[in-house]
Amino acid sequence: MHIVIVEDDAVIRQELKLLLENAFYQVTALCEFSDVASVVLSEHPDLVLLDLNLPDESGFHICTKIRAESEVPVIFVTSRTDSMDELTGILKGGDDYITKPFQAPILLARIGAVLKRTHREKKEDPVRFTHKEVELDIARGTIGFRGKQTELSKNELKIMHLLFRRKGEIVPRTDMIEYLWDNQVFIDDNTLSVNITRIRGKLEAIGVFGLIETKRGMGYRI
């Protein structure tokens, strides 16, 4: 399991890093705090430990940005003990709120509980994916955005399933063709482009623009 630490106090940051590494987690501890949400998302973590009082923007604001892109669990670890701060943290999308000074065994237990719960939820609901408020429902064959939905064809659904499973990655066109047509190399490469164009049209009809990026000579990414 990969955990990202966002903590500007160097002593606490190192303490957390050692604690988690000794508990056999993979750990990335950020030392720069510019555009934190983007950096966190680029790491594709399983969980984020997030302080509130950071140099450039608050942990609340960072959590909101993360939550707009990802369902990765976020635990606030902060010296702010006000109950309204805790409530705000949960309303902003945090999964837990732990105050400093923390006791190591309790922190580890609560991290473990959040990871267990979120991974259980993923296993229980493997047919629904969300990214940038766009929801793909494999069981229903639909894609939706802010209350609007549209149906996808079988191939359109498979394309979006692959992109959602590998969100943030550039998926090569060859990978997509193999996934769609089981290595039938005689399939015209233009068929993939036609399907992508149709998907974009359906997305735009429900208010989604620019979700699928074209990386020329490489493939596609959401």
Side-chain angles (χ1 to χ4, degrees), residues 56-81:
D56 295 332
E57 56 185 336
S58 77
F60 291 145
H61 193 203
I62 292 167
C63 185
T64 299
K65 288 182 176 180
I66 292 173
R67 197 52 76 235
E69 302 273 346
S70 170
E71 294 300 315
V72 62
V74 175
I75 297 178
F76 290 105
V77 182
T78 175
S79 57
R80 287 161 62 169
T81 58

Side-chain angles (χ1 to χ4, degrees), residues 12 31 33 40 60 86 99 105 117 119 139 178 193 208 214-215:
I12 297 176
C31 300
F33 302 97
V40 168
F60 291 145
E86 183 172 357
T99 57
R117 184 180 74 243
H119 279 265
E178 289 175 7
S193 298
V208 181
T214 300
K215 295 297 181 181

